């Protein structure tokens, strides 16, 4: 399946390591170069802003989906190709899933983990079969990956999780895993 649009889930903050923002911008640039559109949470700060600006600065298409509740908090990006203001988080996630061919998860907080695990759950339940990439910049997700391995070892996963979640360490490898 050709990947034309990627959902990127990530923090509305930049985190403490400058590599997080650098890799988000690099991902955006690579997406634009490969003519892959971005659908994301619609914010203009943190990693969200970095990936969106990386796509737009290189001539790519960016679709933002932001709930009314987060308009001020995530500082809605006002220069996107398309912006959708939706009533709540559930509609946001559903719209993003429907618009994308695959997903890449960058470092982030609770919301990012919620989006990651919802995508994985939907994939396991065969609601969709979209590839999910965990971009483990600077080892940010090492502990999470270890925990998922433990979940499997302890017998709580129905299948080999590595068939559902591809772990990459840089933007170039992540895009390569999709294309």
């Amino acid at each position: 399946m050709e990947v034309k649009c990627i959902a990127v889930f990530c923090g509305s903050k930049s985190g403490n390591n400058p590599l997080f923002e650098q890799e988000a911008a690099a991902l955006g640039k690579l997406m634009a170069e490969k003519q892959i559109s971005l659908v994301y949470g619609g914010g203009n700060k943190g990693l969200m802003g970095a990936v969106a600006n990386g796509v737009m600065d290189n001539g790519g298409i960016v679709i933002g989906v932001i709930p009314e509740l987060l308009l001020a908090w995530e500082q809605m990006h006002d220069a996107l190709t398309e912006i959708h203001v939706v009533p709540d988080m559930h509609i946001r996630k559903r719209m993003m899933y429907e618009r994308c061919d695959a997903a890449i998860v960058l470092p982030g907080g609770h919301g990012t983990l919620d989006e990651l695990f919802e995508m994985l759950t939907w994939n396991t339940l065969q609601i969709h079969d979209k590839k999910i990439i965990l971009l483990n910049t600077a080892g940010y997700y090492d502990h999470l990956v270890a925990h998922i391995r433990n979940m499997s070892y302890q017998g709580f996963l129905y299948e080999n999780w590595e068939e559902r979640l591809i772990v990459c360490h840089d933007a170039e490898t992540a895009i390569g895993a999709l294309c």
Side-chain angles (χ1 to χ4, degrees):
M1 171 183 183
E2 183 182 2
V3 175
K4 296 179 182 178
C5 185
I6 297 173
V8 173
F9 301 106
C10 59
S12 61
K13 295 180 75 175
S14 295
N16 296 330
N17 188 334
L19 289 176
F20 299 150
E21 197 167 315
Q22 290 170 16
E23 205 62 35
L27 176 64
K29 181 178 185 218
L30 285 168
M31 288 174 65
E33 288 172 353
K34 301 255 183 206
Q35 297 180 342
I36 299 171
S37 299
L38 167 67
V39 61
Y40 84 117
N44 192 20
K45 62 181 198 171
L47 300 187
M48 293 173 86
V51 71
N53 291 330
V55 173
M56 290 187 306
D57 289 348
N58 292 280
I61 295 171
V62 179
I63 304 151
V65 184
I66 191 165
E68 294 167 354
L69 160 76
L70 296 178
L71 284 171
W73 190 330
E74 291 181 350
Q75 296 175 357
M76 184 177 80
H77 205 304
D78 62 2
L80 304 178
T81 312
E82 259 179 67
I83 187 74
H84 301 272
V85 179
V86 297
D88 59 47
M89 293 293 288
H90 298 292
I91 293 171
R92 173 199 224 178
K93 290 188 289 185
R94 183 179 180 105
M95 184 179 280
M96 290 175 68
Y97 301 154
E98 288 171 350
R99 299 286 300 257
C100 76
D101 301 310
I104 298 179
V105 181
L106 280 62
H110 297 124
T112 303
L113 291 177
D114 171 61
E115 292 155 340
L116 165 64
F117 283 109
E118 187 162 327
M119 284 286 289
L120 281 172
T121 301
W122 286 14
N123 205 317
T124 300
L125 296 173
Q126 299 179 354
I127 294 170
H128 71 77
D129 64 350
K130 298 173 183 186
K131 284 188 181 180
I132 306 166
I133 307 288
L134 188 66
L135 186 48
N136 190 20
T137 304
Y140 180 78
Y141 284 116
D142 285 352
H143 291 95
L144 180 63
V145 170
H147 184 70
I148 295 170
R149 282 192 181 111
N150 188 52
M151 290 165 58
S152 179
Y153 176 76
Q154 296 295 334
F156 284 100
L157 301 182
Y158 285 97
E159 59 199 15
N160 180 1
W161 67 273
E162 292 172 296
E163 293 175 9
R164 298 267 179 224
L165 183 64
I166 302 163
V167 180
C168 298
H169 296 282
D170 59 58
E172 191 168 336
T173 305
I175 292 294
L178 294 175
C179 299

